[in-house]
Each structure stands twice: as C-alpha cells, then as structure tokens.
C-alpha cells in the first residue's frame, strides 16, 4: 500500500495552537485528543480497507463473519450478534442482507424460539473470512505502527477510555489491559 506524502507540519498540533490562541486553551488538549483519535481511525480503516479489498468484504461484514466463525455452532441470533458487535440491529440486518446475497451467510429458524432467526455462516463464508483474516493479519495486525511496549500502553489507555465511556464493565474482574494488571 502506498503511503501519502506526509505534511510538513502536524495539523492537529496547529489546531491545538489555534485553540489556545483563540482562548480555548482549557479544552485544547481534549480537542487534540479527539481529533487525533478520529484521524488515527481514518488511517487504520484505510489500511483495513486496502487489505480487505481482494476479498470484497467491508470491515463490518468481516466482523460479523468472524463473530459467526468463532461461535460454537457457526450461528447466532440476530439480536446477540448486534449486541456483541455493539451496533444497532438495523446495521446487522443490512450487513446480513449483503452477506446472504453473496451466499456467505444464511438465515435459519431458531431451533427453540420461533420468534428468533439465526444467522449462520456458510462454507463459502468460512473460506472467505479465513482468507480475509490472513490478509489482515499480514498487512495490518502484524504491523500496527507501534513497538510492542508502546502498543501495550495504547491498549491500556484505550481500554481505560472505553471503560469510562461505559463500553464494557468487567464487574470488578481485572481487565486484560488494566493499568493495575501485573505483567
């Protein structure tokens, strides 16, 4: 993947300076943090999209296929998939529609709950998600852009941020990237 030519200055640092100059210094660090997270997400998603391009999958379709492939039976109720992916049920429905049209998943009746529908990964879905995972592992996940100790620090900070935002609650159990966790 070709990298764009870097800018001669950090635009977020410049925005921070402008925030301070305009009298918003008390929130300039917060603005820089949020803007940096958004920009980092754009950079990462561009890498993910490039790696997934040969498979024809989007990241949301990949995530659903991986979730199904990790399940014991290869199938989950739509509502459970929505909860685990932390997305609105409508988003899961749209994703399933596209995956079903591509014959990568199928909707099947729930064996014990007539009101529920299961999403089940097909053999073609398993094959494609394995190929996509190989691409992502090689081209994105193996090269996250930080040294291992810095990556661990980032994971700790992001876990702290997500926990404070209510993204998860371990119920008092030590989280994987907790800053209190012994190495």
């Amino acid at each position: 993947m070709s990298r764009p030519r870097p800018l001669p200055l950090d635009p977020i640092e410049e925005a921070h300076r402008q925030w301070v100059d305009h009298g918003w210094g008390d929130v300039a660090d917060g603005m820089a943090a949020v803007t940096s997270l958004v920009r980092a997400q754009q950079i990462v998603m561009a890498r993910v999209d490039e790696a997934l391009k040969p498979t024809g999958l989007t990241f949301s379709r990949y995530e659903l296929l991986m979730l199904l492939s990790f399940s014991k039976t290869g199938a989950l109720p739509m509502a459970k998939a929505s909860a685990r992916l932390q997305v609105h049920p409508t988003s899961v429905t749209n994703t399933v529609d596209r995956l079903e049209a591509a014959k990568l998943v199928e909707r099947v009746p729930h064996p014990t709950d007539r009101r529920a529908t299961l999403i089940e990964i097909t053999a073609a879905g398993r094959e494609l998600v394995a190929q996509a995972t190989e691409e992502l592992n090689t081209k994105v996940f193996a090269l996250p852009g930080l040294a291992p100790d810095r990556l661990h620090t980032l994971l700790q900070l992001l876990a702290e941020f997500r926990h404070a935002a209510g993204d998860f609650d371990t119920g008092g159990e030590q989280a994987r990237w907790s800053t209190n966790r012994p190495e």
Side-chain angles (χ1 to χ4, degrees):
M1 180 172 152
S2 65
R3 293 172 59 163
R5 200 162 59 171
L7 296 172
L9 76 145
D10 179 352
I12 296 171
E13 185 178 327
E14 175 59 18
H16 186 278
R17 186 186 69 72
Q18 292 287 348
W19 241 249
V20 171
D21 287 355
H22 283 84
W24 305 313
D26 56 330
V27 298
D29 286 352
M31 178 281 303
V34 169
T35 305
S36 293
L37 283 169
V38 170
R39 181 62 187 133
Q41 191 263 350
Q42 292 168 338
I43 292 166
V44 169
M45 287 311 300
R47 293 178 65 205
V48 166
D49 290 346
E50 184 72 22
L52 288 176
K53 195 177 201 173
T55 69
L57 292 174
T58 63
F59 193 61
S60 61
R61 293 176 203 160
Y62 170 78
E63 284 183 305
L64 181 56
L65 288 173
M66 280 306 292
L67 178 64
L68 295 172
S69 74
F70 286 151
S71 70
K72 287 180 204 166
T73 64
L76 287 172
M78 297 272 278
K80 189 174 272 192
S82 173
R84 289 194 181 162
L85 293 172
Q86 298 175 302
V87 297
H88 193 274
T90 304
S91 295
V92 171
T93 299
N94 290 337
T95 301
V96 169
D97 287 347
R98 291 195 174 35
L99 290 171
E100 191 172 40
K103 306 226 184 298
L104 301 172
V105 301
E106 58 186 15
R107 288 176 170 93
V108 296
H110 193 289
T112 60
D113 183 353
R114 292 184 327 180
R115 297 166 297 166
T117 298
L118 297 178
I119 315 160
E120 185 172 64
I121 191 167
T122 64
R126 284 188 187 279
E127 188 177 315
L128 186 63
V129 80
Q131 176 190 343
T133 300
E134 186 61 37
E135 292 291 318
L136 286 171
N137 283 343
T138 302
K139 296 177 180 174
V140 181
F141 302 151
L143 307 166
L146 293 172
D149 63 321
R150 302 300 293 154
L151 187 59
H152 185 81
T153 300
L154 177 63
L155 288 166
Q156 287 177 318
L157 291 168
L158 292 172
E160 181 181 335
F161 177 86
R162 291 174 38 241
H163 183 265
D167 196 38
F168 65 92
D169 182 1
T170 58
E173 292 291 317
Q174 196 76 30
R176 169 72 174 93
W177 292 291
S178 172
T179 54
N180 309 359
R181 187 179 181 93
E183 294 293 324

